Amino acid sequence: MKIKRVNYAKGCLLLGIFILIAMSWYYMAALMSMNMQPVAYWSGLDILMLFIMWSIMMAGMMLPSALPVILLVEQINENRRSRQASYSSTFYFIGGYLLTWTFYSLVITGVQYWLHTLSILTPMMHSSQVWFTSLLLFLAGAYQWLPIKQSCLKHCRSPLSLITTHWREGNLNAIKMGFSHGQYCLGCCWVLMALLFVLGVMDLFWISILTLVVLIEKLAPKGDIFGKLLGLVLIAISLLMLLYHSE
């Protein structure tokens, strides 16, 4: 009976996560372009819809790579349930994790609006300036090699020490722990997400590619090496772009 109860709880968790991911990708594939039409002048409603778009997009892109740590938290909760010890639903941890990316969505919305007012982004939400494209590619590539990136990636690839260090009783503490893990995830991936300004904020192909890149970096064997090689490629593209347009 206990095994069935544990499997049922885990099944409900996985179903909830997959529904959330599927709804996010459905929005990006079917509704995003409908709700975010190209505009020359942004109204308050446009900015709100942009924030909602980024928030949903970050959930769809980042939750798949967070699945292993979510399952790790659920396993700890299962062990506590089996011992009839107090525990908090893993969904509180997920909520804290998504809260981090919601804050990022708020900031990146402001950045995008600012870039739009400077005519650095087109109404189609991608870079209109070669220098900005090259600069962002170079910064993203260089960031892949910085110690802060490598430290955050290490925590994302091996989250057990973070969980054991930050584990506290109570729902609020579960949210805080998810938020803490989200900060490492943010430190690892925020520049990659900003590349959408170059590739196209609403381009589903590049959104899928970046999601795959994050999955490889965090979950694949030698994912950290892959990330560094990607950094070199981004820097090379940046320099080649400058050379080509300087002729």
Side-chain angles (χ1 to χ4, degrees):
M1 183 64 70
K2 288 184 178 180
I3 295 177
K4 288 183 179 180
R5 186 164 57 246
V6 166
N7 290 338
Y8 175 78
K10 189 173 184 178
C12 288
L13 174 69
L14 288 172
L15 179 61
I17 295 172
F18 289 143
I19 288 175
L20 184 56
I21 293 173
M23 289 176 64
S24 298
W25 280 91
Y26 173 76
Y27 170 85
M28 289 187 280
L31 303 177
M32 183 165 61
S33 60
M34 182 188 306
N35 294 335
M36 291 302 305
Q37 295 295 328
V39 292
Y41 302 99
W42 294 80
S43 66
L45 179 60
D46 292 325
I47 296 173
L48 175 61
M49 293 303 298
L50 183 64
F51 166 67
I52 293 173
M53 181 195 75
W54 273 103
S55 298
I56 296 175
M57 192 160 58
M58 290 301 98
M61 295 177 72
M62 302 311 302
L63 271 178
S65 64
L67 193 56
V69 68
I70 292 172
L71 293 178
L72 179 60
V73 172
E74 176 62 16
Q75 183 62 52
I76 296 174
N77 281 329
E78 286 179 2
N79 294 336
R80 296 182 67 84
R81 277 195 294 266
S82 65
R83 294 186 283 106
Q84 296 185 338
S86 61
Y87 68 94
S88 297
S89 170
T90 306
F91 282 107
Y92 287 104
F93 176 87
I94 296 172
Y97 178 80
L98 291 179
L99 184 61
T100 306
W101 286 104
T102 302
F103 281 129
Y104 175 78
S105 299
L106 181 62
V107 173
I108 205 72
T109 297
V111 171
Q112 183 170 344
Y113 175 72
W114 177 62
L115 293 174
H116 178 80
T117 60
L118 297 176
S119 298
I120 294 176
L121 295 182
T122 70
M124 294 300 294
M125 302 185 190
H126 58 76
S127 174
S128 64
Q129 305 292 330
V130 173
W131 68 265
F132 177 73
T133 298
S134 180
L135 176 62
L136 191 53
L137 287 170
F138 183 86
L139 291 177
Y143 188 80
Q144 294 292 101
W145 287 80
L146 292 183
I148 184 173
K149 160 74 179 193
Q150 296 303 311
S151 176
C152 290
L153 181 58
K154 181 180 179 181
H155 280 282
C156 288
R157 289 177 61 86
S158 304
L160 182 58
S161 60
L162 173 73
I163 292 176
T164 54
T165 301
H166 288 77
W167 191 278
R168 301 289 187 277
E169 301 296 331
N171 297 336
L172 180 59
N173 286 319
I175 295 173
K176 289 180 178 178
M177 185 171 64
F179 188 75
S180 296
H181 179 69
Q183 290 178 68
Y184 285 111
C185 190
L186 177 62
C188 177
C189 302
W190 71 273
V191 188
L192 289 175
M193 298 299 105
L195 284 178
L196 289 172
F197 289 146
V198 169
L199 305 171
V201 174
M202 296 192 298
D203 192 315
L204 192 63
F205 173 77
W206 288 112
I207 291 172
S208 302
I209 293 297
L210 285 178
T211 302
L212 181 61
V213 166
V214 171
L215 281 168
I216 294 173
E217 267 199 332
K218 289 186 177 182
L219 306 182
K222 307 299 182 181
D224 52 340
I225 297 177
F226 167 82
K228 289 182 177 181
L229 292 176
L230 175 64
L232 294 178
V233 171
L234 293 174
I235 291 173
I237 294 174
S238 170
L239 297 177
L240 288 173
M241 184 176 293
L242 280 181
L243 288 174
Y244 176 79
H245 286 276
S246 64
E247 294 178 354

